[in-house]
Amino acid sequence: MTQIAPPPDTSHSKIEDAQAFVLGTALCALGVTMLTHLGLITGQTAGLAVLLSYATGLSFGLVFFAINLPFYWLAWVRMGPRFTIKSFLCVALVSVMAETFPQLIVFDYLDPLLGAVLVGAVTGLGLIVLFRHGASLGGIGVLALFLQDRTGFRAGYTQLIFDLCLFAAAFAIIAPGLVLYSLAGAVVANLIIATNHRPDRYTGR
């Protein structure tokens, strides 16, 4: 009788996870550094943190870390402890790197439109790295999944509504032209994620 071989183990090792977390968060922090240098915003929780940092004068890293705190309980309930711990570490890394990078990287000139596209590209790639290693940068995405479980309201709609409100509020704080550049960057990031992050093409955990 022919025996069926068990499926290969596609789990990541701790070293592989650690490498991915450093790389993914560094890319996202680089995106935030360019973003704040240009006075732009982005979507989701990071965008809210950027907007609040502009409005209050507080550092992005501090605001981003604090905003994510209430979402860890939801992440624990919805995604489990492994995902929650990984996401907490990644949020902490981005917060620290976003505070450190501006002291190490100085832009003499960066075109706003090109900068917005580059921000979308590097953050999109950074998020894919984190997603493929079972982590995220927390926040609104976790809330959207939680609400979908409890109410049936689609997670994508929750995220879209949040981003529409966020960009609408941005018009009161930053110049309209910068909001439009920011929107272009957000579109690039989401297209990269939608095109490249597909479960049928990547089975690692």
Side-chain angles (χ1 to χ4, degrees), residues 96-138:
V96 172
M97 290 181 183
E99 294 300 297
T100 306
F101 279 13
Q103 303 172 38
L104 305 174
I105 303 171
V106 177
F107 298 98
D108 181 52
Y109 176 75
L110 182 59
D111 178 77
L113 180 57
L114 175 61
V117 172
L118 291 175
V119 167
V122 298
T123 54
L125 292 173
L127 288 170
I128 288 173
V129 172
L130 299 182
F131 292 162
R132 289 184 172 181
H133 284 258
S136 76
L137 293 182

Side-chain angles (χ1 to χ4, degrees), residues 83-106:
F83 172 85
T84 306
I85 293 169
K86 286 183 175 183
S87 297
F88 176 83
L89 292 173
C90 289
V91 168
L93 283 171
V94 169
S95 299
V96 172
M97 290 181 183
E99 294 300 297
T100 306
F101 279 13
Q103 303 172 38
L104 305 174
I105 303 171
V106 177

Side-chain angles (χ1 to χ4, degrees), residues 15-30:
I15 292 177
E16 290 172 331
D17 279 344
Q19 176 271 139
F21 294 163
V22 172
L23 174 61
T25 55
L27 288 171
C28 292
L30 176 60

Side-chain angles (χ1 to χ4, degrees), residues 30-70:
L30 176 60
V32 170
T33 302
M34 291 190 287
L35 190 84
T36 53
H37 169 77
L38 293 169
L40 305 177
I41 65 161
T42 187
Q44 302 300 302
T45 313
L48 177 59
V50 169
L51 201 60
L52 288 175
S53 71
Y54 291 160
T56 64
L58 295 173
S59 69
F60 166 83
L62 176 62
V63 176
F64 183 62
F65 185 81
I67 283 178
N68 271 289
L69 291 176

